Amino acid sequence: MNIEILGYHGTTRDSASSIILNNFEKSDKNNEWLGHGVYFYELYEKAEWWGSRKEEPAIIKSNIIVPAKHYINLDKPSEEDKLGEFIRFIENSDEKLMSSGDEIVKRCKLMNLYMRYGDFKVISATFISTNRKYKQYLDSIGYVRTEKQICVHDTECIVYNEIEVMS
């Protein structure tokens, strides 16, 4: 059984044109939330917000198809537990990985390792948003702004012939 995900990628017009011609390139920065890959938002508005921070923004709409056994949804408690178990295993066996670098770099390395270990291709999770607009007002009522991100580690899961530039 396959999982079908609709994702939105905020970028620039130039990058969108390049992606249409040459496909996506995986990000390989050492501070990625879910490891190295191509990042999408679940919601158009979130990608629009991200893209608005760039000159000449564009939003790419893409279908992502991944076999169920190769997909991790960290919004499910059972998947969080599996990740927690993996982290515990790594902490007990590879002190060097867990003690080096800051938390964000460590998370990126660990996610890359977990994706390889489990032969996973796509991962998604909901995070506290980096969008600061109205934060103090939302905080004043205990509301936390969130965003669901999708990271495609295996770009063959992206349905390239259906990519659409939205703006």
Side-chain angles (χ1 to χ4, degrees), residues 52-70:
S52 73
R53 301 165 26 154
K54 303 170 185 296
E55 278 192 44
E56 297 187 39
I59 310 302
I60 295 175
K61 175 182 169 185
S62 179
N63 287 313
I64 301 158
I65 298 177
V66 59
K69 69 180 183 175
H70 296 288

Side-chain angles (χ1 to χ4, degrees), residues 46-106:
K46 299 289 186 174
E48 186 177 45
W49 165 78
W50 181 259
S52 73
R53 301 165 26 154
K54 303 170 185 296
E55 278 192 44
E56 297 187 39
I59 310 302
I60 295 175
K61 175 182 169 185
S62 179
N63 287 313
I64 301 158
I65 298 177
V66 59
K69 69 180 183 175
H70 296 288
Y71 172 60
I72 304 167
N73 180 351
L74 289 177
D75 291 341
K76 291 181 175 181
S78 60
E79 294 293 337
E80 290 173 317
D81 289 348
K82 289 176 190 171
L83 176 60
E85 186 177 314
F86 181 76
I87 294 167
R88 183 179 66 189
F89 172 77
I90 294 299
E91 280 183 348
N92 291 332
S93 63
D94 191 351
E95 187 177 315
K96 183 176 151 188
L97 173 68
M98 295 312 290
S99 64
S100 64
D102 68 22
E103 182 180 271
I104 294 168
V105 172
K106 202 181 311 184

Side-chain angles (χ1 to χ4, degrees), residues 30-57:
N30 69 354
N31 64 346
E32 299 291 5
W33 288 82
L34 296 168
H36 298 155
V38 178
Y39 278 79
F40 295 88
Y41 286 100
E42 175 185 53
L43 298 174
Y44 176 88
E45 282 186 35
K46 299 289 186 174
E48 186 177 45
W49 165 78
W50 181 259
S52 73
R53 301 165 26 154
K54 303 170 185 296
E55 278 192 44
E56 297 187 39

Side-chain angles (χ1 to χ4, degrees), residues 1-6 63-73 115 119-124 150-159:
M1 178 173 107
N2 287 333
I3 304 290
E4 295 184 30
I5 304 166
L6 182 60
N63 287 313
I64 301 158
I65 298 177
V66 59
K69 69 180 183 175
H70 296 288
Y71 172 60
I72 304 167
N73 180 351
M115 296 299 284
D119 192 26
F120 301 122
K121 299 172 186 279
V122 177
I123 184 171
S124 65
I150 303 148
C151 179
V152 179
H153 282 249
D154 182 346
T155 58
E156 290 184 18
C157 295
I158 298 169
V159 183

